[in-house]
Amino acid sequence: MLTGMGDVMRRWNGWGDEATQVELPAHGEAFLAELVGVGQRLTDASLEQVMARVPASRLTAHPLISLDAEVRVRHARGQSLPDWLAMRSGDFGVFPDGVAFPETAAQIRELLAWAQQHDVTLIPYGGGTSVAGHINPLPGSRPVLTLSLERMTRLLEIDEESLIATFGPGANGPQVESQLRARGYTLGHFPQSWELSTLGGWVASRSSGQQSLRYGRIEQLFAGGKLETFAGTLESPTFPASAAGPDLRELVLGSEGRFGVISEVRVRISPLPEQERFYAVFLPDWPRALSAIRRLAQARVPLSMLRLSNAVETRTQLALAGHPQQIALLEKYLALRGAGEGKCMLTFGVTGSRVQNAASLKQARRLLKGFGGVFTGTLLGRKWEQNRFRFPYLRHGLWECGYLVDTLETATDWANVDNLLNRIEAALREELAGDGERVHVFTHLSHVYGEGSSIYTTYVFRPGGDYTEALARWQRLKGAASRVIAANRGTISHQHGVGRDHAPYLAVEKGELGMATLHSLARHFDPERRLAPGVLLQDHD
Ligand SMILES: Cc1cc2nc3c(=O)[nH]c(=O)nc-3n(C[C@H](O)[C@H](O)[C@H](O)COP(=O)(O)OP(=O)(O)OC[C@H]3O[C@@H](n4cnc5c(N)ncnc54)[C@H](O)[C@@H]3O)c2cc1C
């Protein structure tokens, strides 16, 4: 079975490696029961039940295409909460008619031509970690072929003088890093989905990694590459910089499978750092914490990671951390030093040479002290580092206890961060109040810029009695928060992309002419609308 995680067996109806379990600690369950009520566990469908529902494929045989029912199930959905509800209930709706596994750019071109010849819709598929409905097939008269890039994972070339590496588009985070690390380099791109998401997917959906402060977003790392389209191959050569008109890489970045299939990705790499450390500081309250993180960003203190949790997120993280006695001692100490009720945890990283790191740490500590920050050393920072890719597994622990969790994200200018954050949280907190349901909502800022910040909000709620109610609750919550974002100068996505879930809000930030331009580009590359219908652009516009 091709799973996209090397030797690891990937879950068919949830996140990651089947062998990895992260459970909610017992007191964590009590903590949530008090906040939102006793959990409501829904019943899961089995893989066999789901496979029995897969209809016969409408595709004719092709050597690069699998029509196997299990392969089709495993490539039918991403990782959004509605995707989870579909996978857990077994009510998938539509399955792809087949999954293609090309190994070369020539085979991708062959599959494009075949799709045209047989009147087929195509969905490019990287790691399947989309949380915005990017890769789900839609009902329609055309058969749907999902085009998985999971066999194109190799480091093809490395230019050690220019620090540029060329990869197949299907390399996931561990595959990228292990091939680079063997040569003494890193890409430095670590989205929380790193275990499964791929280079092609990062570029196609404008991803941002946890250490974007040092290495940049994928936009800065993407040096060039190839996009296979129905109009031919669009190649962007690498230049350190260029004033030769609009940058064609921008047509590939964020194209979400609409314009073509990325067949090769060239990225800017860095030598492995001599040292990396993560630290935690507690700020006494949110206003001071917000000012402190803004000052760190605007003073360009050379940190590699910054993550500021608001007071509710801080409280939630400490409650779910396990080790209640040690946490109680820590809180006592923090309260004595002025960070009591309302405290906010800031985690930050330094990456580079020992000398640089010592200077950056000194600068950061001095600045944070001026805002009442209480420095707690590397212990909590190390915990964050150890668990940075384990958090997504907690969704299973929550599910088992009968809770649903989802996240949403945006970015806005500093002058608007607090306003937008409060409005998003209020919208989520209040949306189900009429039904007597409470929603536990908390936020962090984890990608900061001179002019503004991302806002990343998590919300936990109960599913209600059944899957239909669970989906209806999610639709109401997501709709309420998305409307607030669109109406209050937030981007509809800072890092998760548009997909189908965010597409109705895109016009607010692109404008009428902007939308028309994007549609004409889609028509130019894909005149018969075969690629990823409804993704990024709503097809009825
Ligand atoms: C638990 C979790 C944590 C996450 N954390 C982060 C995070 O920290 N930062 C972040 O940026 N995102 C995050 N995401 C979102 C997601 O991982 C990103 O959007 C990621 O970039 C998707 O990559 P993928 O390879 O899984 O792409 P897929 O989900 O397979 O596809 C996403 C889109 O890209 C297109 N696509 C994929 N490959 C190609 C290709 N070769 N050519 C053309 N189009 C292609 C698809 O058609 C689709 O439209 C998270 C998701 C989850 C579930």
Side-chain angles (χ1 to χ4, degrees):
M1 174 64 51
L2 295 155
T3 63
M5 283 184 76
D7 296 334
V8 164
M9 193 60 191
R10 185 173 167 173
R11 282 192 174 85
W12 69 273
N13 63 351
W15 181 256
D17 173 14
E18 273 181 0
T20 307
Q21 307 278 352
V22 178
E23 281 164 20
L24 196 61
H27 60 280
E29 201 173 340
F31 174 78
L32 284 178
E34 201 179 310
L35 287 167
V36 298
V38 177
Q40 299 164 320
R41 176 72 165 90
L42 300 178
T43 314
D44 296 344
S46 68
L47 179 58
E48 290 66 34
Q49 284 168 332
V50 175
M51 275 166 53
R53 293 190 188 180
V54 179
S57 172
R58 295 170 290 176
L59 293 173
T60 49
H62 185 287
L64 294 174
I65 299 174
S66 168
L67 306 181
D68 179 84
E70 185 172 342
V71 173
R72 290 166 62 196
V73 170
R74 285 178 176 271
H75 291 82
R77 287 283 182 158
Q79 290 290 327
S80 71
L81 189 52
D83 291 335
W84 263 59
L85 295 175
M87 294 187 289
R88 294 285 171 155
S89 65
D91 192 3
F92 275 62
V94 183
F95 297 91
D97 287 277
V99 183
F101 296 98
E103 294 182 10
T104 62
Q107 289 181 346
I108 295 176
R109 290 192 292 272
E110 180 190 329
L111 286 162
L112 290 180
W114 187 85
Q116 230 166 2
Q117 210 183 336
H118 292 83
D119 196 20
V120 167
T121 289
L122 280 172
I123 302 180
Y125 182 105
T129 68
S130 156
V131 280
H134 285 92
I135 50 171
N136 310 345
L138 289 181
S141 53
R142 277 178 178 165
V144 180
L145 176 63
T146 292
L147 197 151
S148 170
L149 283 312
E150 68 199 64
R151 288 189 186 165
M152 297 177 70
T153 61
R154 276 197 314 115
L155 172 61
L156 302 168
E157 200 186 318
I158 184 161
D159 173 349
E160 299 193 58
E161 217 172 328
S162 317
L163 294 182
I164 293 175
T166 307
F167 277 94
N172 61 29
Q175 289 165 336
V176 169
E177 283 298 321
S178 61
Q179 293 182 84
L180 287 178
R181 275 165 200 241
R183 313 280 290 258
Y185 301 100
T186 178
L187 177 61
H189 189 73
F190 304 109
Q192 203 184 53
S193 57
W194 178 80
E195 280 188 349
L196 301 178
S197 55
T198 64
L199 257 180
W202 298 337
V203 172
S205 54
R206 300 188 82 102
S207 160
S208 192
Q210 290 164 342
Q211 283 165 267
S212 63
L213 203 54
R214 174 179 171 88
Y215 296 104
R217 289 163 61 88
I218 201 69
E219 292 97 296
Q220 283 87 46
L221 295 169
F222 178 52
K226 289 186 188 158
L227 182 75
E228 310 298 338
T229 84
F230 285 109
T233 303
L234 182 75
E235 180 158 8
S236 339
T238 58
F239 301 111
S242 164
D247 189 340
L248 294 180
R249 282 174 307 175
E250 285 293 337
L251 299 185
V252 184
L253 284 160
S255 56
E256 301 195 352
R258 273 312 287 252
F259 298 167
V261 184
I262 300 164
S263 60
E264 197 175 284
V265 183
R266 296 196 195 110
V267 281
R268 296 172 173 141
I269 56 174
S270 304
L272 280 169
E274 185 187 346
Q275 188 199 48
E276 183 155 77
R277 294 274 185 279
F278 297 94
Y279 304 91
V281 170
F282 286 81
L283 282 304
D285 52 48
W286 178 248
R288 273 183 279 185
L290 187 57
S291 301
I293 196 172
R294 177 167 58 80
R295 283 282 296 283
L296 283 172
Q298 292 178 339
R300 297 177 205 262
V301 181
L303 303 176
S304 60
M305 189 280 276
L306 266 173
R307 175 188 165 122
L308 173 64
S309 301
N310 71 359
V312 183
E313 179 166 301
T314 302
R315 195 152 52 85
T316 306
Q317 277 182 333
L318 294 178
L320 299 185
H323 317 294
Q325 276 145 4
Q326 280 159 277
I327 297 290
L329 277 178
L330 171 73
E331 294 206 271
K332 215 164 159 187
Y333 165 76
L334 291 172
L336 281 173
R337 303 282 311 273
E341 192 68 25
K343 62 186 171 297
C344 298
M345 181 161 114
L346 182 130
T347 316
F348 69 89
V350 293
T351 303
S353 72
R354 283 169 207 282
V355 176
Q356 280 169 346
N357 287 353
S360 306
L361 177 63
K362 199 167 156 197
Q363 202 185 346
R365 283 188 67 173
R366 196 180 318 123
L367 190 148
L368 289 164
K369 204 167 170 205
F371 290 89
V374 185
F375 185 71
T376 62
T378 52
L379 188 69
L380 289 170
R382 261 209 308 274
K383 275 258 164 278
W384 175 85
E385 188 183 7
Q386 283 160 6
N387 290 325
R388 62 197 288 186
F389 304 121
R390 281 173 65 83
F391 288 120
Y393 289 92
L394 188 57
R395 209 170 177 184
H396 291 273
L398 288 163
W399 178 270
E400 293 305 326
C401 296
Y403 297 103
L404 301 182
V405 59
D406 193 23
T407 61
L408 49 86
E409 38 81 54
T410 177
T412 194
D413 298 342
W414 283 117
N416 190 39
V417 167
D418 207 27
N419 167 52
L420 183 56
L421 186 162
N422 287 328
R423 284 174 189 259
I424 293 169
E425 286 202 344
L428 291 167
R429 223 175 269 125
E430 286 156 22
E431 184 58 31
L432 305 181
D435 306 348
E437 279 300 312
R438 286 169 290 162
V439 182
H440 182 51
V441 186
F442 50 90
T443 298
H444 65 252
L445 313 184
S446 51
H447 299 270
V448 292
Y449 309 89
E451 65 276 33
S453 173
S454 69
I455 298 172
Y456 190 96
T457 299
T458 302
Y459 52 108
V460 182
F461 61 106
R462 300 195 302 169
D466 55 37
Y467 281 100
T468 313
E469 177 60 17
L471 183 61
R473 285 184 184 181
W474 176 81
Q475 281 165 337
R476 284 171 59 189
L477 290 162
K478 177 79 176 175
S482 301
R483 287 192 294 277
V484 164
I485 289 170
N488 289 280
R489 295 191 287 122
T491 172
I492 198 58
S493 177
H494 168 266
Q495 65 202 56
H496 289 165
V498 178
R500 293 206 188 93
D501 294 348
H502 299 148
Y505 307 93
L506 191 63
V508 177
E509 57 192 84
K510 301 296 181 202
E512 210 177 306
L513 182 57
M515 290 304 288
T517 308
L518 291 175
H519 277 286
S520 67
L521 282 168
R523 272 196 302 276
H524 177 73
F525 292 121
D526 176 21
E528 293 166 345
R529 292 189 179 196
R530 294 195 181 283
L531 283 159
V535 171
L536 181 67
L537 304 168
Q538 291 184 299
D539 281 313
H540 53 75
D541 309 329

